[in-house]
């Protein structure tokens, strides 16, 4: 089994799925960047007895914010509030919600490869302008060899 990182969870676990698994009733809204609202799952928000829907969910960015208690951030924090658990428990449980076929090592390779043309262009610029001054050329050579 491959390692599933925090970034994998943030990218591949939907906050809407977490709410559904926790039997949280989501109401569709069109309020700024938020698509859903619900009662806050935090046990600390009015002792867990909140009746107004002050927690808003942005499924596109996979985050939330409660305007009642100021709780908010990402899907991991939402899971911790819904299940009243620690970060490590949330990570363990959320890892099981990921389809391993969606995670590929190719994702990280693509992002590194996309920087290559920029690095080549920078190298060419350094080389071009360092040829005007011999001391710059020596400095550049020593810098590149580090």
């Amino acid at each position: 089994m491959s390692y599933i990182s925090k970034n994998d969870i943030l990218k591949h676990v939907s906050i809407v799925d977490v709410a559904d698994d926790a039997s949280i009733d989501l109401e569709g809204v069109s309020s700024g960047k938020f698509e859903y609202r619900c009662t806050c799952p935090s046990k600390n928000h009015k002792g867990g007895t909140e009746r107004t829907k002050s927690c808003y969910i942005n499924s596109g960015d996979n985050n939330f914010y409660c305007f009642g208690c100021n709780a908010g951030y990402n899907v991991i924090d939402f899971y911790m509030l819904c299940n009243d658990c620690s970060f490590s428990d949330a990570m363990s449980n959320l890892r099981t919600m990921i389809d391993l076929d969606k995670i590929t090592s190719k994702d990280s390779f693509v992002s590194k490869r996309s920087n290559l043309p920029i690095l080549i262009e920078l190298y060419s610029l350094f080389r071009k302008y360092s040829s005007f001054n011999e001391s710059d050329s020596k400095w550049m050579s020593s810098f590149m060899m580090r």
Side-chain angles (χ1 to χ4, degrees):
M1 181 175 170
S2 66
Y3 174 73
I4 298 173
S5 70
K6 177 182 174 184
N7 288 334
D8 291 331
I9 290 171
L10 295 174
K11 185 176 178 182
H12 297 289
V13 176
S14 166
I15 196 166
V16 174
D17 291 343
V18 170
D20 186 48
D21 286 352
S23 301
I24 293 175
D25 183 36
L26 296 180
E27 176 182 305
V29 295
S30 58
S31 175
K33 63 181 182 174
F34 299 105
E35 295 95 10
Y36 302 99
R37 71 179 178 181
C38 61
T39 57
C40 183
S42 174
K43 307 294 183 252
N44 296 325
H45 187 143
K46 293 189 176 182
T49 61
E50 181 200 21
R51 292 191 306 212
T52 60
K53 296 184 177 190
S54 61
C55 184
Y56 286 76
I57 294 176
N58 178 341
S59 62
D61 290 338
N62 216 24
N63 59 29
F64 75 102
Y65 184 76
C66 177
F67 289 92
C69 68
N70 299 320
Y73 196 46
N74 60 36
V75 66
I76 299 169
D77 296 308
F78 190 73
Y79 185 91
M80 290 167 51
L81 285 178
C82 292
N83 295 285
D84 194 25
C85 67
S86 69
F87 178 79
S88 61
D89 289 340
M91 291 293 290
S92 296
N93 294 331
L94 288 170
R95 283 185 175 111
T96 64
M97 295 179 71
I98 293 181
D99 179 6
L100 292 177
D101 294 333
K102 289 182 180 180
I103 300 174
T104 63
S105 59
K106 191 169 99 173
D107 290 341
S108 61
F109 176 73
V110 171
S111 67
K112 289 178 185 174
R113 196 172 93 172
S114 65
N115 292 330
L116 185 60
I118 296 167
L119 293 172
I120 290 172
E121 186 177 344
L122 284 172
Y123 174 75
S124 298
L125 286 171
F126 280 131
R127 191 164 185 191
K128 177 182 174 183
Y129 289 108
S130 67
S131 65
F132 293 130
N133 186 338
E134 188 177 334
S135 65
D136 288 345
S137 180
K138 288 179 183 176
W139 176 84
M140 185 63 64
S141 293
S142 68
F143 180 76
M144 295 296 216
M145 296 308 226
R146 291 181 189 176

